[in-house]
Amino acid sequence: MRVTKHLHAALTVQDSGKTLVIDPGSYTDPLVDVGDVVAIVLTHEHADHWTPDHLDRLLRNAPGIPILAPEGVAKAAAGYDITVVNPGDTVHVEPFTLRFFGGQHAVIHETVPVIDNVGVLVNDQLYYPGDSYAVPKGVDVRLLAAPLGAPWLKIGEAMDFVLAVAPQQAFGTHDMTLSVIGRTMHRARLRWATEKNDGEFLELESGDSTDL
């Protein structure tokens, strides 16, 4: 299984010649030449995690593929055929098994409504929490895509999240709101948290991949 980081929050996962797309949003360049796409996962409704342009482009090349997302996305993306998923659900889209966790977006501020958000575990190996610190209880995470920067993110809380998940490997994502200096600093903090549990932190830039 190959995991590729794209700009900001977008990921692609390839296995057995098939591709899963996760969170192609407004800060992400068009995803082209990503292979045979069989499903799209959207963790929540914010524009930096999905746009109509991305969905339309992907669906033109792979019409009829499922778009898996929480209820909030189904309401925000009216006109698209969204398969609603909730925490605790498991969905099989060959060759991918997708398990969903969490339920709510991290709090930005008391004045900002809290929306639906699901974390996704792919083939019991890759875990991406979306915009949350939802820990997949009872799961030995092989690779964690850990958010680096956001209006809701405090780096100490992100470190605690990585410590709680205790992945074998981790890399930073959700990083377009950070300067180069900020991204470097936050990566160093998450590296420390990963290595505290004898894990390995990977510095993936957009377009970089790692194999599981």
Side-chain angles (χ1 to χ4, degrees):
M1 189 168 79
R2 171 164 289 187
V3 179
T4 301
K5 180 194 180 329
H6 299 274
L7 286 174
H8 195 53
L11 307 173
T12 54
V13 186
Q14 295 177 311
D15 192 12
S16 303
K18 306 296 183 181
T19 301
L20 170 72
V21 176
I22 302 174
D23 280 4
S26 57
Y27 300 148
T28 304
D29 289 338
L31 299 177
V32 296
D33 298 326
V34 292
D36 184 4
V37 178
V38 295
I40 302 168
V41 171
L42 307 177
T43 61
H44 64 283
E45 66 196 70
H46 286 158
D48 60 326
H49 291 257
W50 82 279
T51 67
D53 284 347
H54 278 298
L55 293 190
D56 291 344
R57 189 179 301 108
L58 291 165
L59 291 171
R60 277 197 299 271
N61 294 322
I65 60 172
I67 304 171
L68 309 169
E71 181 67 33
V73 175
K75 294 177 180 177
Y80 292 94
D81 185 10
I82 306 293
T83 299
V84 173
V85 291
N86 297 291
D89 287 351
T90 298
V91 177
H92 302 283
V93 182
E94 289 298 328
F96 301 105
T97 297
L98 309 172
R99 298 169 58 192
F100 295 93
F101 296 84
Q104 290 189 327
H105 192 286
V107 174
I108 298 171
H109 187 262
E110 63 182 8
T111 63
V112 179
V114 176
I115 62 171
D116 296 334
N117 180 95
V118 290
V120 61
L121 179 70
V122 182
N123 289 351
D124 290 325
Q125 296 185 78
L126 166 70
Y127 181 62
Y128 175 54
D131 282 10
S132 80
Y133 298 123
V135 176
K137 299 292 187 180
V139 176
D140 182 13
V141 173
R142 175 72 176 80
L143 177 66
L144 173 65
L148 281 176
W152 49 269
L153 187 147
K154 177 182 177 181
I155 193 59
E157 294 173 348
M159 293 164 70
D160 285 340
F161 168 67
V162 174
L163 288 169
V165 176
Q168 295 177 41
Q169 291 182 311
F171 67 94
T173 186
H174 207 283
D175 53 7
M176 286 292 283
T177 59
L178 296 175
S179 67
V180 173
I181 292 173
R183 185 167 62 249
T184 300
M185 180 181 67
H186 284 202
R187 281 175 173 171
R189 298 298 186 187
L190 296 195
R191 177 186 298 278
W192 175 89
T194 304
E195 292 177 350
K196 284 293 286 184
N197 287 301
D198 298 320
E200 177 188 16
F201 187 82
L202 309 174
E203 292 198 6
L204 301 185
E205 303 294 345
S206 178
D208 289 348
S209 302
T210 187
D211 293 323
L212 299 175

